[in-house]
Amino acid sequence: MARLARTSCATERSNKPFHPSELDTLWGSTAKPEQTHEMIPEQSNTLCPCGSGKTYEQCCGPWHRGEPAPSPETLMRSRYTAFVQGRADYLLATWHPDTRPPELGLEGSPDWVNLQILESTEQGSRGRVHFRAVYRAGDGWGYLEENSDFVREDGRWYYLSGQTEEGQLKPGRNEACPCGSGKKFKACCR
């Protein structure tokens, strides 16, 4: 998903991961992550955008506030939710410093509507998540499919890199709607 966000390599990268004590610096010394996104409505009772079926507070909320995600899949879900919510600060904080861009602009990002985890593996301090993220593309639908690599350092998982593929979705009338509602396409977003 990093490929769809604007990055700038004009400034030098840090060569160490962000740690919880540095999150205040990343998000501003007086603001917590949830305070930097005033345009995001109160989400304690809304379903999490990552598609887990849990509320935002039961799912990605704790990771966005700085708690370490317990697995590569959990981190991937929280990063997807951060893309949906426009939380560039969180995306940078959870991106490994060896591959992290110095800046991340999310202006012009697609309208993400659905995340599907196709496979998730973890072995020691390495992890991989194969996912498909669906977005609205004008009057149609597009997808980004990625095999993402993760690494755990000092008890925290970080996104390392991913191999992406993009395409268009052309759902049939009787197929499931790409938005993830569970309804048939003809009865939902058609």
Side-chain angles (χ1 to χ4, degrees), residues 10-137:
T11 54
E12 190 173 312
R13 291 184 184 140
S14 167
N15 59 3
K16 65 182 184 76
F18 287 101
H19 293 302
S21 63
E22 296 174 287
L23 292 178
D24 281 344
T25 302
L26 178 67
W27 285 310
S29 59
T30 60
K32 297 291 184 208
E34 61 271 16
Q35 294 170 328
T36 62
H37 301 280
E38 293 176 17
M39 71 280 194
I40 299 171
E42 176 59 43
Q43 301 187 27
S44 60
N45 294 322
T46 60
L47 287 179
C48 193
C50 79
S52 67
K54 300 176 184 177
T55 66
Y56 172 75
E57 278 305 312
Q58 294 171 324
C59 193
C60 293
W63 322 136
H64 287 175
R65 288 190 300 276
E67 292 183 35
S71 70
E73 181 177 336
T74 304
L75 182 59
M76 179 62 243
R77 287 182 176 280
S78 70
R79 286 178 57 83
Y80 171 83
T81 297
F83 270 102
V84 170
Q85 296 175 343
R87 294 177 181 264
D89 51 359
Y90 180 76
L91 293 166
L92 288 170
T94 58
W95 205 321
H96 194 273
D98 289 348
T99 57
R100 176 180 58 227
E103 296 177 4
L104 184 64
L106 298 179
E107 305 83 21
S109 288
D111 180 17
W112 300 105
V113 296
N114 185 7
L115 174 68
Q116 304 159 359
I117 302 296
L118 304 174
E119 184 179 5
S120 180
T121 59
E122 180 181 337
Q123 187 172 2
S125 63
R126 296 285 181 174
R128 179 167 262 220
V129 179
H130 181 195
F131 71 89
R132 177 180 272 197
V134 176
Y135 58 90
R136 290 192 185 272

Side-chain angles (χ1 to χ4, degrees), residues 133-169:
V134 176
Y135 58 90
R136 290 192 185 272
D139 291 338
W141 302 90
Y143 71 88
L144 171 77
E145 192 165 322
E146 182 172 306
N147 282 298
S148 301
D149 292 314
F150 295 84
V151 63
R152 184 174 48 209
E153 292 181 359
D154 298 326
R156 293 185 88 77
W157 285 101
Y158 294 93
Y159 170 78
L160 192 56
S161 63
Q163 298 168 349
T164 61
E165 174 186 325
E166 286 186 72
Q168 290 183 326
L169 291 177

